[in-house]
Amino acid sequence: MNNIELWVALSLVKVPFKRIRDKLEDINLLESAIRERDNVNKNKLKERVKSILEFSEKSNVELVPYISESYPESLKHLNDPPILLYCKGDLSLLKNTKMISIVGSRRPTTYGRSQAMEFSKQLASFGFTIVSGLARGIDESAHRSCLEVGGKTIAVLGNGLDIFYPIENRELQVEISESGLLISEYSLGESPTTYSFPQRNRIIAAISRGTLVVEAAKKSGALLTANYCLDLGKDVFALPGPVSSPKSFGTNTLIKNGAILVRSFEDILDEYGYKIEKVNNLEQSDVLTAQEERVLSCLNSSNYTPFELISSKIEDLEPQDLILILTELTLKNKIVEDGGSYKIL
């Protein structure tokens, strides 16, 4: 086997990294580690390696072994770093020091989804590469919003790059491969499993400078990503939510335990020492989300409008989501509240 064939084989037979940590430059010892694995059919393995190399070449998939100069240094801080990365897209994005992951619930509230979109757009506009896991909900919202403003995004998959999961994100996955970067430690043809998603989360945490958790239930996978961040000494940001909302249990708990509370993207910029530039004589914080614009259109500047009346005008918005949007508008000095009623400033 040549060098890349060897690393593909190591990846296929799932050799634990700890078994080869001290053998990285010794081809004979690496080959021995493969032979030591149970139920390895040498001929079948050789054919599988050949098919992966051929498919990778045809599909513009780059194979990045642990010893490659393109392999992210941040992943080497993991106890069990990927032996090999399958990558498709702009590999140079892995060198960007301004990377932040946005993760959260697969079934977010309207507020959670809108906040993920807003944070992603604004951070991407400031040059951050947005990292997430291409799952339903918060992940896909973060990826899409980043691409909408011409930003760069990295999707870390829990399956092979030739597998589209979830299937409804097929077009998004293709778009990211063309305008951003797809990465996975799973070989081509490998389907996702319940184990692969937690494993994927450690990569998301490791390559990011910090992680923003938008919404997370008590047992959300997003909390695993946050825990990996803490283990690696990375920043964990969390968006607070109503104490009555199960979707905010995880984020509120993170804040209680020391995560950085954020109300807007400016809080993250402040944490990293970036100044907010003005656009058209307005600070970017003056830009409102679609939901905020919608709520604002229900108010006027002459009279206070009761909460119940606002809620009746936007029936598809949950009360707890409406409360949070009104709070955001108040913090942005767009509206004023008096006894549960609101008007435009």
Side-chain angles (χ1 to χ4, degrees):
M1 289 186 179
N2 62 31
N3 204 316
I4 191 61
E5 289 175 343
L6 178 59
W7 284 92
V8 172
L10 287 165
S11 171
L12 286 173
V13 300
K14 310 296 184 187
V15 173
F17 183 79
K18 62 183 180 181
R19 295 285 300 278
I20 63 170
R21 187 181 293 275
D22 300 323
K23 308 174 183 178
L24 299 178
E25 302 297 333
D26 192 322
I27 292 179
N28 291 328
L29 288 177
L30 291 177
E31 290 179 341
S32 176
I34 294 173
R35 290 194 297 270
E36 290 172 2
R37 301 295 286 172
D38 295 333
N39 302 319
V40 174
N41 184 303
K42 186 177 180 180
N43 291 329
K44 287 185 177 180
L45 178 61
K46 186 176 181 180
E47 286 300 314
R48 179 79 174 120
V49 169
K50 181 182 177 182
S51 66
I52 286 177
L53 292 176
E54 290 176 349
F55 184 88
S56 297
E57 185 175 356
K58 292 178 182 177
S59 305
N60 296 316
V61 172
E62 296 191 60
L63 306 177
V64 183
Y66 184 90
I67 59 172
S68 170
E69 291 183 359
S70 298
Y71 191 93
E73 194 66 30
S74 56
L75 286 181
K76 296 182 179 180
H77 296 296
L78 291 169
N79 291 326
D80 58 340
I83 286 176
L84 176 76
L85 291 176
Y86 297 81
C87 305
K88 186 171 184 178
D90 186 358
L91 204 58
S92 68
L93 293 181
L94 291 174
K95 300 296 183 182
N96 188 359
T97 57
K98 291 171 66 177
M99 276 199 275
I100 191 158
S101 53
I102 299 178
V103 297
S105 173
R106 283 181 167 81
R107 298 179 180 83
T109 63
T110 303
Y111 174 74
R113 188 181 292 275
S114 67
Q115 287 299 306
M117 294 169 64
E118 178 70 3
F119 273 90
S120 180
K121 286 180 179 179
Q122 297 289 8
L123 291 170
S125 297
F126 273 86
F128 278 87
T129 295
I130 304 301
V131 182
S132 200
L134 200 65
R136 299 180 180 93
I138 296 300
D139 287 20
E140 65 176 291
S141 296
H143 289 305
R144 290 186 194 280
S145 299
C146 174
L147 292 171
E148 284 175 6
V149 296
K152 297 298 182 180
T153 186
I154 297 175
V156 184
L157 309 188
N159 47 264
L161 298 187
D162 57 332
I163 301 293
F164 295 101
Y165 184 87
I167 190 62
E168 60 263 34
N169 284 347
R170 180 188 183 107
E171 290 185 5
L172 177 59
Q173 184 171 326
V174 171
E175 186 176 358
I176 293 173
S177 73
E178 296 171 345
S179 303
L181 177 66
L182 299 174
I183 64 175
S184 176
E185 66 181 310
Y186 297 100
S187 65
L188 301 170
E190 280 198 70
S191 297
T193 66
T194 53
Y195 173 77
S196 65
F197 292 117
Q199 287 295 95
R200 170 206 60 186
N201 292 349
R202 82 192 195 289
I203 298 177
I204 293 175
I207 66 174
S208 304
R209 185 172 180 179
T211 291
L212 168 63
V213 185
V214 176
E215 282 187 321
K218 190 174 184 178
K219 296 183 179 180
S220 172
L223 299 182
L224 290 176
T225 308
N227 286 334
Y228 281 123
C229 280
L230 294 173
D231 291 341
L232 293 166
K234 303 291 186 81
D235 297 311
V236 176
F237 303 95
L239 188 73
V243 294
S244 59
S245 173
K247 302 291 185 184
S248 294
F249 180 90
T251 50
N252 290 340
T253 300
L254 286 173
I255 293 168
K256 178 182 177 182
N257 293 336
I260 302 169
L261 185 154
V262 294
R263 298 177 306 173
S264 67
F265 78 100
E266 291 100 322
D267 292 330
I268 295 177
L269 295 182
D270 288 343
E271 187 68 25
Y272 292 137
Y274 296 111
K275 294 182 179 180
I276 300 175
E277 298 178 1
K278 294 193 174 183
V279 180
N280 296 328
N281 296 320
L282 293 174
E283 288 192 353
Q284 290 204 9
S285 60
D286 288 335
V287 179
L288 302 181
T289 66
Q291 290 291 358
E292 288 171 345
E293 292 278 11
R294 188 180 176 201
V295 171
L296 202 61
S297 69
C298 298
L299 308 178
N300 61 70
S301 58
S302 56
N303 300 304
Y304 283 93
T305 304
F307 176 85
E308 291 76 12
L309 182 56
I310 303 171
S311 183
S312 68
K313 293 180 179 180
I314 314 178
E315 295 181 350
D316 62 320
L317 202 60
E318 294 292 332
Q320 65 264 29
D321 294 334
L322 177 57
I323 290 172
L324 288 171
I325 293 173
L326 288 166
T327 301
E328 284 295 323
L329 288 170
T330 302
L331 292 170
K332 290 182 177 181
N333 294 318
K334 296 296 182 182
I335 64 174
V336 61
E337 184 265 345
D338 182 21
S341 295
Y342 303 82
K343 77 172 183 178
I344 297 174
L345 283 174

